[in-house]
Amino acid sequence: MFIRNERSIKEFMQSYPVVSILVIIHLVLWFMINFLQLPIGIMIYQLGEGNNYFISQGEYWRLITPIFLHADLMHVLFNSFSLVLFGPALEQMLGRSKFILAYLFAGLIGNIGTYLFAPSNYFFTHVGASGAIFGLFGIYLFMVFFRKHLIDQVSSQMITTILVIGLIMTFIRPNINIYGHVFGFIGGFIIAPVVLAGAEAYNPWASLVRRRRYKNDDGSIQFDPKRWEKRRFPRSAKKNILWIILAVLALLGLLSRFF
């Protein structure tokens, strides 16, 4: 479920548009705010960051907007890379509407939990998609326990292991929004039975097969009979260099969190 089979970024974006748009939003906002430090970017950050005091004053949009903002380069790369790894399978299984609903709901619950359970630090500020991403783990764990037909054993073991490690790191690392992670996970677990209604098991080839078809002269859709004879690593593979760069930077970001 978590191994990518797409041959290029374009193919990935066509197959998983919601995940792609979320990642683009993350990177564009970071570029405007942190890299270029544009005045409009700084204003977006100041108006969008989670802040318990301003939320108490009626600025309730701050319960959603922090999901799209990040503190620095490694923060945005780590969360975006996590979304690229764990989001596509759920986007296919749930459909685009249910996926974005579940993602935003988990992030919202994470930020509500932060607001309700961190009142002692009235000016506590927070940003990041971590709560929403932990919500995806909540949906996966619901499948592990209650929808076993939707997830294979290897993926079940992988997601459980990653979740345990993630929760441990949440509590032992400094400067982590513990409430956002924990309540984001709870939000995903809560909404799981709703969004998983009618879901089918993930098929890694479904989106690719749809996009590797061709039309006959009579207009009918047929599979390309020579599709399996094409080179496994075409010259166009060089387009994947961005994936490699993203993976390396995300790995460096992950390692920087442990040292």
Side-chain angles (χ1 to χ4, degrees), residues 36-124:
L36 296 179
Q37 297 185 354
L38 298 177
I40 188 173
I42 302 301
M43 181 180 68
I44 290 173
Y45 189 89
Q46 292 175 341
L47 289 175
E49 66 180 349
N51 184 297
N52 285 355
Y53 173 75
F54 290 125
I55 293 173
S56 71
Q57 299 302 304
E59 297 184 4
Y60 299 117
W61 65 82
R62 294 179 184 268
L63 295 173
I64 288 289
T65 51
I67 300 172
F68 305 100
L69 302 172
H70 292 84
D72 53 42
L73 176 61
M74 292 308 174
H75 191 201
V76 68
L77 287 180
F78 184 75
N79 281 343
S80 296
F81 190 65
S82 298
L83 185 56
V84 167
L85 286 180
F86 303 110
L90 279 180
E91 181 174 343
Q92 184 197 103
M93 295 169 67
L94 306 181
R96 299 172 187 176
S97 299
K98 286 185 178 180
F99 176 80
I100 192 62
L101 171 65
Y103 184 83
L104 294 179
F105 179 81
L108 173 63
I109 295 300
N111 290 331
I112 290 176
T114 301
Y115 173 69
L116 294 177
F117 291 91
S120 58
N121 191 349
Y122 212 46
F123 291 94
F124 178 74

Side-chain angles (χ1 to χ4, degrees), residues 1-6 11-12 15-16 87-95 140 143 149-152 155 198-212 223 227-228:
M1 296 178 69
F2 310 120
I3 298 176
R4 304 272 41 90
N5 299 298
E6 297 77 30
E11 194 169 78
F12 179 91
S15 300
Y16 310 107
L90 279 180
E91 181 174 343
Q92 184 197 103
M93 295 169 67
L94 306 181
Y140 281 122
M143 285 192 281
H149 65 285
L150 294 177
I151 187 168
D152 60 271
S155 297
E200 298 181 358
Y202 175 65
N203 178 0
W205 306 109
S207 299
L208 302 184
V209 168
R210 281 199 304 270
R211 301 190 180 281
R212 296 175 190 174
F223 290 112
R227 63 189 182 282
W228 308 120

Side-chain angles (χ1 to χ4, degrees), residues 121-234:
N121 191 349
Y122 212 46
F123 291 94
F124 178 74
T125 60
H126 54 92
V127 292
S130 301
I133 292 172
F134 266 83
L136 303 186
F137 288 123
I139 298 175
Y140 281 122
L141 195 66
F142 185 90
M143 285 192 281
V144 170
F145 287 129
F146 304 108
R147 299 289 190 275
K148 297 182 184 296
H149 65 285
L150 294 177
I151 187 168
D152 60 271
Q153 185 176 2
V154 174
S155 297
S156 296
Q157 295 173 345
M158 182 184 300
I159 208 70
T160 302
T161 301
I162 293 174
L163 176 60
V164 170
I165 294 174
L167 289 175
I168 291 174
M169 297 306 300
T170 293
F171 285 97
I172 67 175
R173 287 193 62 254
N175 302 319
I176 291 293
N177 181 7
I178 296 175
Y179 303 105
H181 287 195
V182 172
F183 282 93
F185 167 77
I186 293 173
F189 195 87
I190 289 174
I191 201 172
V194 176
V195 296
L196 287 174
E200 298 181 358
Y202 175 65
N203 178 0
W205 306 109
S207 299
L208 302 184
V209 168
R210 281 199 304 270
R211 301 190 180 281
R212 296 175 190 174
R213 297 180 297 183
Y214 73 99
K215 288 187 177 182
N216 268 350
D217 294 336
D218 60 2
S220 62
I221 301 295
Q222 301 290 337
F223 290 112
D224 182 353
K226 297 183 180 180
R227 63 189 182 282
W228 308 120
E229 298 176 8
K230 294 179 180 179
R231 293 193 306 171
R232 188 174 181 82
F233 299 103

